[in-house]
Amino acid sequence: MSDHESAFLDTSTKISTASILGLGEANGVEISRLHGLQYVQITRGSLIYALSQLGLAGAVAWILFGAVPMLWLGLWGAAILAVQAHGAHFERDFFDAERRVITNIERARQAVSPLLTGILWSAVLAFFAPLAAGLSMMTVWIIAATGLIAAIYHHRTVPTAVLAHSAGLGMVAPAAQMIEGQWATAFAMLAFLAVSVMVAIAAARSFIEARLAEDSVAEKDSVVSLLLREFEENEADWLWEVDTSRRVRSVSPRFAYALNRKQGDAEGMPLLEMIAGKDWSQGRLPASLHDLAERLKNRQHFSHLLVQVSIKGARRWWELSGTPMRDEQGKFLGFRGVGSDVTAQRESSDQVAYLARFDTLTSLPNRLQLTEALGEAMQYAAQWRTRCAFLMIDLDRFKSVNDSLGHLVGDRLLTQVSARLKSLMGNNLLCGRLGGDEFAVVLRDATDHRVIETVAKQIIETLSEPYLVDNHTLYVGASVGSAIGPRDGRSVEELMRNADLALYRAKDQGGGSHCQFEPNLHAVAEERRQLELSLRMALERDEMLLNFQPVVDANTEQVVSFEALVRWDSKDHGMVSPVKFIPIAEETRLIIPIGKWVLREACRQARAWPEHIKVNVNVSPEQLLDPGFTDDVVLALEETGLRPQRLEIEVTESIFLRDASIARSSLEQIMALGCSVALDDFGTGYSSLGYIRKLRFSTIKIDRTFVKGAEQQNAESLAIIRAVVAMAQSLDMTTTAEGAETLEEVNMIRGLGCDKIQGYYFGRPMAAEDALKLFNSSEDRRSA
């Protein structure tokens, strides 16, 4: 016998019962290892077994409740609990049994818990069960038998534990039955216990033999691996061989396993037919199998050939290497080679390739694939002297959905957006996601420029339809910017950048529109960049100033408040319109420090006015949602000494599109200080009566567009103003009409019932000194 052969365990030898019970040698198998295999298994599920015994004990206590004194039931239950707790705790120490020697003391101590469990169950059957009615007694017997079956299952690899449990169970109960003359019942119990022990021994023997067989196979595989180390160097998993007819010969066990066949069944079968599956009969073979067939036919050597195979209907990927075999005379004998299953590696590489080119959330092409597609479209346009186009899409109001409803709802909304975009795509279009809420479309042939406008219009209309996400009806629009290649850019990067500039212009126009790239957009973008740089230093340079526009009582025409309007006198750019710098400040969040300055400066200037004059300060959504906004208001009032009742915060309806709960909380805190809150530009935006009902606004400001429309006798504008005035009066709020420039408009507004008027007719925005002069001149007239 060779050294390798002697190393293998003879698994055909039966292990004796004495060895399994720990009472004898194991016929060549190391006894400590044998016990380790047995005892390591009981560490799994020891807690569940203990709980099952306690559950059965609880069922018995419930059945015998009233028939057996509570004291005895309590003591018995406590004993069961203590025994099971001890057993579960002790069995946990066998977790490393395979790696150490199990002593006789440990085996004896482990059997104590099953023995005591059996004795306790035997006591129930002998002393408690006879006190119950007939059906209840039978139920108790069944529960006790169930407990034994649970013990057999849990200790199936350690029959000594089952033997101890059965011995404990057989100590008292059968004897009690014999004393009462129930010989048949007693013998039945003893027979049941004997069968239980035999079943446990058989189960333990099967388990141990199976484990030893597994170890034997593992050792044999190890030896085979050593003998075939030259193939391991090529990462070969199996050997394969075909004859001149390409039929499989000398099928190895591992090759048979790869074929999902028995060695005898695979022997002599055509290789290509076996690995082609159903495709063989249908004549539709993968290209890789055609390649393999050609190489076998031409008797060519091949190495690391990737082949798609079908094994019993399952698609797999094999890597094969093969060399023609020839005899001493050069006669061709067939092929011999090595192969391996690389399905996992192939699928992993496919997944990596997919993730590199597709967006995981929407399954749309990602930026990389869009860039490649645009590059191909530009090459096609240059070759055939046509045009292509790149459309960038940005969702309007998507940030408010994310902020108010969370990113999960936002992600689901993006999924629906992507589905709508897909439905618009044809052979000439490819859509994808650039990231966030930005999407893009590559238009391969845009020779007819009207196609761009048509596609952009379809996108805006389709994406602006309402969405239903998690029982929320959501409205988001879309803005589109486009650039035409090669007119607007001769490289992919340039064309994408110019489409982005066009998109920026569309967003600046209020969204929901399409803008095409124009060369002057570069100048606009550069101007914006320069403005942002200067704006970041504006407060440090003391370039900000405030103007104040008066608000008068509609009846007396006396000034009741001033609206503070921020202006920027830049050292680099001169006077910059708020229309230009406010959007930049909001986008860069510079509006928060600027807003703090405006609030403090407005309160400081108002401190010099008469006590009945209020100051109105506009607050952006970014400020209102800032956690420190309320503290900023308190600090401004403390530093300037202005009474809170003289400060009125003006907000627009857009604050409720971001995070309504935070906005409402901030405004309620401001109101609690004594400040008032006005709703500006009502009717031009979100216009929800729900917010007006929940928040006690002091004033509703009617936008100038309605004033202009009413002055021209526009029925809709007149109706809106009348409705707002009536609603405000019913809710004990005042109304302010903005944009009054003529006497006719003032009279018309007064006639419609507005409480206050603001506009150029009563005064343009003026410096703080000029505002103060209004009061001084009034005082002089009164004195005169």
Side-chain angles (χ1 to χ4, degrees), residues 690-735:
Y691 296 122
I692 296 178
R693 180 175 57 82
K694 293 176 182 177
L695 282 168
R696 302 296 299 176
F697 291 103
S698 60
T699 302
I700 298 178
K701 301 189 74 172
I702 300 171
D703 189 69
R704 70 189 64 202
T705 56
F706 298 116
V707 173
K708 296 299 180 186
E711 196 271 334
Q712 297 170 8
Q713 297 301 308
N714 180 280
E716 182 179 338
S717 296
L718 286 167
I720 289 174
I721 294 176
R722 289 192 182 101
V724 172
V725 169
M727 177 186 65
Q729 289 174 349
S730 66
L731 295 174
D732 196 24
M733 301 176 185
T734 62
T735 51

Side-chain angles (χ1 to χ4, degrees), residues 403-418:
D403 291 343
S404 59
L405 298 178
H407 291 283
L408 184 60
V409 172
D411 287 348
R412 290 173 178 167
L413 175 59
L414 290 176
T415 303
Q416 292 192 25
V417 169
S418 67

